[in-house]
Amino acid sequence: MARKEAAELLTVRQVLEELGGISRRTFYRWRELRLAPACIRLPNGELRVRRDVLNDWLEERAEGAAS
């Protein structure tokens, strides 16, 4: 099951929802500043974020996380 979770690709809309409904503009601003989770650009130009990458990104930002 962990393998399936790692392969799950989220759309930008799904990521925005997971992050509590932040705006698309905020997400793209984070990308400009290199603060957003790593994305995959598909041949059609759309972005995807791997579920495991998003989970790791969130974990790194948790308050009280070991540094």
Side-chain angles (χ1 to χ4, degrees):
M1 179 138 168
R3 180 87 169 137
K4 182 179 179 181
E5 181 180 327
E8 182 181 4
L9 296 177
L10 303 171
T11 64
V12 171
R13 177 175 287 171
Q14 290 172 313
V15 172
L16 300 179
E17 290 172 8
E18 291 255 344
L19 296 176
I22 66 164
S23 73
R24 183 175 291 271
R25 178 64 193 129
T26 296
F27 180 78
Y28 281 99
R29 179 69 176 147
W30 288 352
R31 280 186 41 84
E32 290 172 12
L33 297 172
R34 299 187 184 274
L35 299 174
C39 297
I40 299 168
R41 184 170 302 279
L42 300 177
N44 65 1
E46 292 183 10
L47 296 177
R48 296 291 184 270
V49 178
R50 286 182 27 194
R51 165 68 68 188
D52 61 333
V53 169
L54 179 61
N55 289 343
D56 291 345
W57 182 83
L58 288 170
E59 194 65 31
E60 290 170 6
R61 280 147 188 80
E63 289 189 20
S67 30

